[in-house]
Amino acid sequence: GEFVYTTTAVDETNKTFTCTVSGALLKKEYRGAGTQISQKLAENMAAKAAMQAEYKESYAELNASVTVAAPSSAAQGQKRKGEPHPVGSKSELSHAVQMLLGRPVTKEDVVYTSTTIEGETPSYQSVVSLPTYDASSQYQGAVTAMKKDAEANAAKSALAALKAVIAPMEEEHKAKKAKKNKEQLEKLVEATKAKKEAKKASEAAA
């Protein structure tokens, strides 16, 4: 291929990796950010570093088109309240359910039910259910002083219970993303080569 990926194990157990990418079509060698838990992910980060450095505008356009094309819980969050995409356990659970169902999540897929516990200072406890994934399961969170925190606690309980199912799917998702980044780098280089050749041909004709 036109690119050479060099992956190095960071420790003796071969469980974390870094990677560099180089090639005749790149101005220099690029190292991916941080350490990764697989060689594929390390290669992904190296490809991403090269794209961001040498094809910044094209890379931004690619990401923008992907973001617009793919329905996401972020977009749904903006539709509900006009707020930015929430971070934390609730958004993690939405992402996990999206992987489990293999499609964008709707409000019917993740349902929170909160109970007010009366007292001098009212407190809240939430239960989250995932009816379209498993109609029989409910996950209860710890009691807290705020309703939104109660929902977050319920989401944490669900994530902990589903960890064994979600973890391998998350790794598969990351691996697919790694492959996509490497393919994008190759496409960007090919497109740049084609533009340069077209420009040369145009100048020669003139």
Side-chain angles (χ1 to χ4, degrees), residues 4-8 18-22 29-32 42-43 46-47:
V4 178
Y5 291 90
T6 306
T7 308
T8 308
T18 60
C19 182
T20 60
V21 60
S22 59
E29 182 178 83
Y30 294 94
R31 179 179 294 276
E43 289 176 0

Side-chain angles (χ1 to χ4, degrees), residues 90 110-116 124-131 138-142 147 150-152 154-155:
K90 288 180 70 175
V110 183
V111 180
Y112 292 91
T113 306
S114 297
T115 304
T116 305
Y124 300 89
Q125 187 169 37
S126 290
V127 171
V128 63
S129 59
L130 313 173
Q138 292 189 326
Y139 307 94
Q140 183 172 282
K147 184 179 176 181
E151 291 180 350

Side-chain angles (χ1 to χ4, degrees), residues 38-69:
S38 73
Q39 293 186 40
K40 283 185 179 180
L41 290 177
E43 289 176 0
N44 166 48
M45 295 307 291
K48 185 177 179 181
M51 283 191 286
Q52 288 177 327
E54 298 201 12
Y55 305 95
K56 194 172 182 180
E57 289 183 8
S58 299
Y59 180 65
E61 286 172 9
L62 274 171
N63 279 355
S65 65
V66 169
T67 303
V68 170

Side-chain angles (χ1 to χ4, degrees), residues 79-121:
K79 283 180 185 175
R80 278 200 305 271
K81 294 184 179 178
E83 295 175 352
H85 182 39
V87 295
S89 302
K90 288 180 70 175
S91 59
E92 285 178 28
L93 181 58
S94 291
H95 173 65
V97 173
Q98 182 170 312
M99 285 194 297
L100 291 168
L101 297 176
R103 59 169 174 76
V105 175
T106 68
K107 63 183 180 180
E108 287 80 22
D109 298 322
V110 183
V111 180
Y112 292 91
T113 306
S114 297
T115 304
T116 305
I117 301 170
E118 300 296 340
E120 273 188 41
T121 304

